[in-house]
Amino acid sequence: MHYTPSEVLTALNQCQRLFCFFTLCLEATTTLQLTGAAFYSMLTFISDWVCPLRFRNALGAKMRQARLVDLAALDGSWSVQAGTPIKYALLGFDLLAVYKQDSSVLSLTYARCPADLLFTTDTPEIPVRYHPSLQDGAITLLRTKEGAQEWQKTIPYWDRFQSAIQECAGQVRARNREQGYDYYPIELKRFDMSKVLKKAS
């Protein structure tokens, strides 16, 4: 079956985003201007946001990660407590809660999404050694429109794609621990792909 360059680029972009989401292999550092509020939608400020890795307040001190219940237990009026921010909580994908509140500037290191591949000559942003794995994943995605029987023939490609993710995630996990980051890549090896395949067949 023939696939257009647009379909191929779409599949490659999907795989690169999945790769970065599961490995957190791309990161960036920026600043976040607080406005004295307790809650912030991070995608409003950072379009390539995936998750926070480390926050530092205006004094350069690392802010500690917490849950909302932790903040509520610590201070019943935590959402209106003025002062230098010392803790943060992440709710869902991008809702950030800050304790305490002021109008300072935070330094933020975060895991980010890759830039989309727009042309066939573009180079993926993930580490070079994993570029072939994007092809493996894209082949599986492209073949889905041919039906379950044809798609199942591509499972070895998807297995290679998943193995590359696990390998890279292990390296990033070790790096994040060394850097003292707050978030690590998820453990894909705990995910049972066989259940998905049984449903597909």
Side-chain angles (χ1 to χ4, degrees), residues 19 133 136-138 140 151-167 188 191-194 197:
F19 194 98
S133 70
D136 289 333
T140 305
W151 173 76
Q152 283 189 321
K153 296 176 183 177
T154 68
I155 295 306
Y157 294 98
W158 189 259
D159 289 342
R160 286 204 300 262
F161 177 58
Q162 196 171 13
S163 294
I165 288 175
Q166 289 179 11
E167 179 183 304
L188 259 187
F191 179 70
D192 187 0
M193 187 66 175
S194 65
L197 298 181

Side-chain angles (χ1 to χ4, degrees), residues 178-197:
E178 186 177 327
Q179 295 290 334
Y181 287 162
D182 293 330
Y183 281 84
Y184 306 139
I186 63 174
E187 292 279 1
L188 259 187
K189 61 185 177 183
R190 297 179 182 174
F191 179 70
D192 187 0
M193 187 66 175
S194 65
K195 293 180 180 179
V196 177
L197 298 181

Side-chain angles (χ1 to χ4, degrees), residues 81-156:
Q81 191 65 254
T84 301
I86 57 173
K87 292 180 183 287
Y88 77 92
L90 186 67
L91 292 83
F93 181 70
D94 81 323
L95 186 60
L96 177 75
V98 177
Y99 172 77
K100 303 173 180 179
Q101 293 85 40
D102 67 5
S103 298
S104 63
V105 177
L106 303 183
S107 173
L108 164 63
T109 300
Y110 67 98
R112 67 175 179 86
C113 289
D116 281 344
L117 304 172
L118 302 177
F119 306 99
T120 55
T121 54
D122 289 348
T123 303
E125 290 191 87
I126 65 171
V128 174
R129 66 170 292 164
Y130 298 115
H131 288 184
S133 70
L134 296 182
Q135 296 174 11
D136 289 333
I139 288 170
T140 305
L141 294 183
L142 289 167
R143 295 288 295 275
T144 55
K145 70 178 184 179
E146 299 176 37
Q149 190 172 9
E150 291 301 314
W151 173 76
Q152 283 189 321
K153 296 176 183 177
T154 68
I155 295 306

Side-chain angles (χ1 to χ4, degrees), residues 13 16-17 20-21 26 48 112-116 125-126:
N13 280 322
Q16 185 172 213
R17 284 193 292 269
C20 292
F21 178 78
L26 299 182
D48 60 355
R112 67 175 179 86
C113 289
D116 281 344
E125 290 191 87
I126 65 171

Side-chain angles (χ1 to χ4, degrees), residues 25 39 44 55 67 69 74-75 113 124 139 147 172 174 179 196-197:
C25 66
F39 293 96
T44 303
F55 277 101
R67 300 171 300 168
V69 292
L74 176 67
D75 185 343
C113 289
I139 288 170
V172 173
Q179 295 290 334
V196 177
L197 298 181

